Amino acid sequence: MILPFIALIALGIGCLGVIVLSVGRKQSVETSIDDKTSGVNVDGGQMCCASCGIVAADNVKLKKCAACESVRYCSVECQRKHRPDHKKACKKRAAELRDEILFKQPKSSYLGDCPICCLPLSIDPRNSPIQTCCSTVICDGCEYANRLRHEKECLELTCPFCRHPVPTSNEEAENNKMKRVEANDPVALRQMGCIHSVVGDSKKAFQYLTKAAGLGDADGHHCLSNMYLNGEGVKKDMKKGVYHAEEAAIKGHPTARFNLGVIEWNKGTIERNIGMIERAAKHIIISANLGHGEAMKMVKTCYSKGLVSKEDFAKTLRAHQAVLDAARSSQREAAAEAKRLGLSFSHMHSMPS
């Protein structure tokens, strides 16, 4: 799902001036100079409670503030007492820590590599089927090669990964899927959530997707984000929608990352907020670096309007092309050609991711 895109013209570049981004730069983090607030005893070089000032010792254990990790307390009572003074700084530092994680470029997409050919999987789900017997995602090239090998050697058709026999009926294929669901496989849970969403059962879809997201599935978070942002089966909630999109983006989901960029862009354009436009550009560049086509188009538009520097544009273009090149192989090209000719090589044990 791609959210609507507000035209660049609405930004009013003449009013705001030209913004040249340098995505690689890092924001410096201000540190507190108040020794008690920071939980540091300068004289002895020891940590102390930010509320009562007691020094850490064998019989006194200090615990970090879970949100900002910048102060320490000797007890829950001290933490509660100090909360009114610390709340503003805590929220600011927690947001900075969140952004450090959020805007870190993932090494690859959440799909990773095909476990058979070890090449990066395409972010296009149509090219990366899931094996229902083991919930493993493989590329079309390996799926196609497996089919050809079985036909050539007259072998019983099996899963390319786990070698489980291909089901001979829809009922058997469904049983395979339910076994994975009962085993709390996050991929299988997410797939069941998507299936229920398609047939209009939003309640069950939400339950399955919530469980998948809870088990760390990036696509589960992405699907939940779409449900919250669009109000599909749940009450429309922008805050929760953005949270799940962020969780998916952190795990390397290019579409979720692109959606975050569009959300920030639309909001920044309406409010004429340069900071939001900068954040949007960072999201879009990260998405393009993961191979997202629409994100790359948007980066080009930003560059043509002077919103992205020439250096960042060139770097993103190279990274985007490198991801696409890394996902190519002769097997995958043969599979694509077979699809173009209308030859079917997918089986009942496979379904798109």
Side-chain angles (χ1 to χ4, degrees), residues 101-159:
I101 298 172
L102 180 60
F103 289 107
K104 185 177 180 180
Q105 177 71 53
K107 293 181 179 179
S108 64
S109 79
Y110 71 105
L111 290 168
D113 298 340
C114 173
I116 299 176
C117 65
C118 297
L119 294 176
L121 287 164
S122 169
I123 64 172
D124 186 342
R126 295 171 297 181
N127 298 330
S128 303
I130 293 178
Q131 313 305 305
T132 61
C133 49
C134 56
S135 293
T136 303
V137 181
I138 66 167
C139 69
D140 264 356
C142 291
E143 174 90 354
Y144 183 55
N146 181 65
R147 176 60 180 263
L148 293 179
R149 185 179 72 87
H150 281 81
E151 288 182 352
K152 183 178 180 180
E153 300 179 14
C154 299
L155 300 173
E156 179 187 13
L157 201 56
T158 59
C159 167

Side-chain angles (χ1 to χ4, degrees), residues 259-309:
N259 286 350
L260 283 174
V262 174
I263 290 171
E264 293 269 15
W265 183 277
N266 289 347
K267 192 173 181 181
T269 301
I270 293 170
E271 298 179 9
R272 296 179 177 270
N273 187 314
I274 296 176
M276 288 182 180
I277 296 295
E278 289 182 342
R279 288 173 63 89
K282 290 179 182 180
H283 281 306
I284 293 163
I285 287 176
I286 292 174
S287 178
N289 286 340
L290 292 173
H292 196 281
E294 291 299 317
M296 191 64 241
K297 291 178 183 178
M298 200 166 174
V299 172
K300 290 179 181 178
T301 302
C302 290
Y303 172 65
S304 68
K305 298 294 182 180
L307 301 175
V308 172
S309 69

Side-chain angles (χ1 to χ4, degrees), residues 65-99:
C65 172
C68 69
E69 301 182 355
S70 61
V71 296
R72 291 168 172 78
Y73 299 101
C74 62
S75 65
V76 175
E77 183 180 352
C78 273
Q79 186 174 9
R80 288 174 180 169
K81 185 179 179 181
H82 189 246
R83 182 62 180 167
D85 297 329
H86 177 56
K87 186 176 180 180
K88 186 176 180 180
C90 182
K91 284 187 175 181
K92 181 182 178 182
R93 181 56 183 152
E96 290 172 349
L97 290 174
R98 177 69 172 179
D99 279 355

Side-chain angles (χ1 to χ4, degrees), residues 108-227:
S108 64
S109 79
Y110 71 105
L111 290 168
D113 298 340
C114 173
I116 299 176
C117 65
C118 297
L119 294 176
L121 287 164
S122 169
I123 64 172
D124 186 342
R126 295 171 297 181
N127 298 330
S128 303
I130 293 178
Q131 313 305 305
T132 61
C133 49
C134 56
S135 293
T136 303
V137 181
I138 66 167
C139 69
D140 264 356
C142 291
E143 174 90 354
Y144 183 55
N146 181 65
R147 176 60 180 263
L148 293 179
R149 185 179 72 87
H150 281 81
E151 288 182 352
K152 183 178 180 180
E153 300 179 14
C154 299
L155 300 173
E156 179 187 13
L157 201 56
T158 59
C159 167
F161 183 75
C162 69
R163 299 305 180 191
H164 187 281
V166 171
T168 56
S169 66
N170 289 330
E171 184 179 359
E172 189 178 348
E174 190 65 27
N175 288 336
N176 284 344
K177 286 187 284 186
M178 292 311 300
K179 284 179 182 178
R180 300 308 306 164
V181 170
E182 291 167 4
N184 281 332
D185 187 306
V187 176
L189 289 166
R190 180 238 303 161
Q191 283 293 315
M192 289 302 295
C194 292
I195 291 171
H196 283 290
S197 178
V198 169
V199 299
D201 192 345
S202 299
K203 185 177 180 181
K204 281 192 176 181
F206 181 76
Q207 291 173 349
Y208 278 117
L209 292 173
T210 300
K211 198 168 184 179
L215 292 170
D217 185 70
D219 220 3
H221 279 293
H222 172 57
C223 292
L224 275 180
S225 171
N226 289 341
M227 291 186 75

